[in-house]
Amino acid sequence: MNTAAMPGRKPGNPCFSSGPCAKRPGWTVDALADAALGRSHRSKLGKAKLGEVLDRTRTLLGVPADYRIGIVPASDTGAVEMAMWSLLGARPASMLAWESFGEGWVTDVIKQLKLDARIVKAPYGELPDLTTVDWDTDVVFTWNGTTSGVRVPNGDVIPANREGLTICDATSAAFAQALPWDKLDVVTFSWQKALGGEAAHGVLILSPRAVERLETYTPAWPLPKLFRMTKGGKLNEGIFKGETINTPSMLAVEDCLDALKWAESLPETLADRSDRNLAALTAWADRTPWVDFLAKDPAVRSNTSVCFRIVDPAVANAPEAEQAAFAKALAAKLEKEGVALDIGSYRDAPPGLRIWAGGTVETADLEALTEWLDWAFATTDKPVAQAAE
């Protein structure tokens, strides 16, 4: 094994997981002291806190006044499922997939809802040609591929006069990337990503066009209680005023409020912080011969879930199982040193590393991490080349 000197500094926070993500800088459990514990979420206090989350979310994200925002069960997954099961089937659908979560939505629509949807795919690290998408169909897609490090660069390709609805899973994009609200009819995300919040709660945002669909269309399949957003053919407005379908964790609600207030106090946006973090990782990758972005095109690289592949020939030319073992060993070495936690690539993604660079992460911590990445690469045994037969 090669030897190399350990770097002299460590990241102040070793949490680089892509979800749940790092808490905001300076967070302690004392931030939750005012949580409405032991109180009903339907009490005056409970409703006020839930309503405050919605109001602060609208302001920070710049959500139009006529869009509804609701807190729903089961994280971003629950929000996406609510949208698909409630809205799809009224017209033809298109499913876009370039990473594992997009693939999951394809599976649900084709195998569970049994819709004859058009599927548009691209391999990990790439976007499909979005100009080939029929936007007069209902289109389901992820804005930022959490498992691939690929994002939609902007909404220019989406026509303003589209006939279909755009249903956008924005869970690793919200608060970190500009979302063109006039081009999006449904947007979903969870607090556990860019806000560094706690899991289990999702956010569902509906445009007036999406609301109209809900009030004029009844799906052919039964809807479980958790998915029902209408009563008597009209939108259940209570859901979008903080009256959640099921009981939320008021501890998680308080944590979200803390993150939102912190974001409001910053002299820059969370997107600015994410962009600066991506720039730091890009500078390292540009000068480091053993690593490269999974996303080849800089225009579509994520500034939150940054995915790398190992391109050193000793690793890249090895069988995929050995590539995966090397990447896993590298990540384990860093975890053992308390330098980086949970930076292995997603289980369905190509072997490599995935580093969260959202706004709750400090740039200095990422810069320190890159020194340790170089150390770990230099000191981890590479695959042994196979002799030619």
Side-chain angles (χ1 to χ4, degrees):
M1 178 187 295
N2 293 325
T3 59
M6 282 188 175
R9 60 173 177 165
K10 288 186 177 182
N13 184 354
C15 296
F16 298 104
S17 163
S18 290
C21 301
K23 309 297 288 183
R24 64 155 174 88
W27 184 93
T28 69
V29 72
D30 293 338
L32 309 181
D34 291 332
L37 302 184
R39 296 295 308 275
S40 168
H41 60 294
R42 296 187 178 91
S43 67
K44 184 177 180 180
L45 177 62
K47 286 183 178 179
K49 286 185 175 291
L50 289 161
E52 185 180 356
V53 167
L54 299 180
D55 291 342
R56 291 182 183 274
T57 296
R58 184 182 298 278
T59 299
L60 264 178
L61 289 180
V63 179
D66 57 350
Y67 280 50
R68 269 69 161 204
I69 307 175
I71 299 168
V72 300
S75 194
D76 176 67
T77 299
V80 175
E81 297 286 6
M82 285 181 71
M84 294 195 304
W85 284 70
S86 299
L87 296 167
L88 294 182
R91 62 188 307 113
S94 297
M95 307 295 298
L96 314 187
W98 47 85
E99 50 99 45
S100 62
F101 288 102
E103 291 278 5
W105 309 143
V106 170
T107 297
D108 286 357
V109 167
I110 300 300
K111 294 188 176 181
Q112 303 302 321
L113 297 182
K114 302 186 184 305
L115 295 179
D116 184 21
R118 181 190 179 211
I119 303 171
V120 180
K121 291 187 178 184
Y124 276 87
E126 299 178 22
L127 276 181
D129 183 355
L130 299 180
T131 65
T132 68
V133 175
D134 182 358
W135 298 96
D136 286 336
T137 65
D138 292 334
V139 182
V140 180
F141 66 105
T142 55
W143 190 270
N144 183 92
T146 309
T147 65
S148 68
V150 173
R151 60 170 162 176
V152 178
N154 53 59
D156 293 351
V157 74
I158 305 174
N161 62 346
R162 64 193 177 279
E163 294 293 329
L165 297 180
T166 49
I167 300 175
C168 175
D169 173 358
T171 197
S172 294
F175 298 101
Q177 297 163 17
L179 297 174
W181 294 104
D182 60 325
K183 301 295 183 72
L184 303 175
D185 295 299
V186 178
V187 173
T188 70
F189 61 89
S190 64
W191 300 335
Q192 70 207 47
K193 298 294 187 181
L195 292 177
E198 294 306 299
H201 298 77
V203 174
L204 176 67
I205 302 178
L206 303 177
S207 74
R209 298 178 73 242
V211 172
E212 180 184 21
R213 172 73 64 82
L214 283 171
E215 293 183 336
T216 58
Y217 166 67
T218 301
W221 43 80
L223 288 178
K225 179 181 179 180
L226 287 180
F227 288 1
R228 297 175 202 156
M229 290 184 277
T230 60
K231 284 185 177 180
K234 292 294 182 182
L235 187 72
N236 182 356
E237 294 284 1
I239 296 173
F240 305 94
K241 296 177 180 177
E243 298 170 13
T244 55
I245 296 175
N246 71 330
T247 304
S249 163
M250 298 310 294
L251 204 61
V253 167
E254 195 68 25
D255 190 59
C256 180
L257 280 173
D258 172 73
L260 290 167
K261 292 174 183 177
W262 168 75
E264 292 168 353
S265 73
L266 295 171
E268 57 191 343
T269 67
L270 291 179
D272 291 334
R273 289 173 62 89
S274 298
D275 287 343
R276 186 169 64 248
N277 288 343
L278 175 60
L281 290 174
T282 301
W284 168 70
D286 286 346
R287 65 176 182 265
T288 304
W290 64 266
V291 74
D292 197 3
F293 287 91
L294 182 59
K296 298 178 181 66
D297 181 359
V300 301
R301 288 176 187 163
S302 171
N303 64 350
T304 55
S305 53
V306 184
C307 296
F308 292 106
R309 55 194 180 97
I310 299 169
V311 297
D312 181 82
V315 179
N317 294 335
E320 185 169 301
E322 293 185 30
Q323 295 180 44
F326 178 81
K328 185 175 180 180
L330 192 154
K333 178 172 287 192
L334 293 174
E335 182 163 345
K336 182 179 179 181
E337 296 296 332
V339 170
L341 307 177
D342 310 317
I343 64 167
S345 59
Y346 190 73
R347 61 180 180 267
D348 295 333
L353 303 171
R354 180 173 62 153
I355 300 169
W356 184 258
T360 59
V361 175
E362 298 280 35
T363 304
D365 286 344
L366 286 168
E367 292 171 339
L369 171 61
T370 62
E371 298 172 9
W372 284 89
L373 287 166
D374 287 331
W375 169 83
F377 177 80
T379 58
T380 301
D381 287 334
K382 312 299 186 292
V384 177
Q386 301 296 312
E389 297 182 359

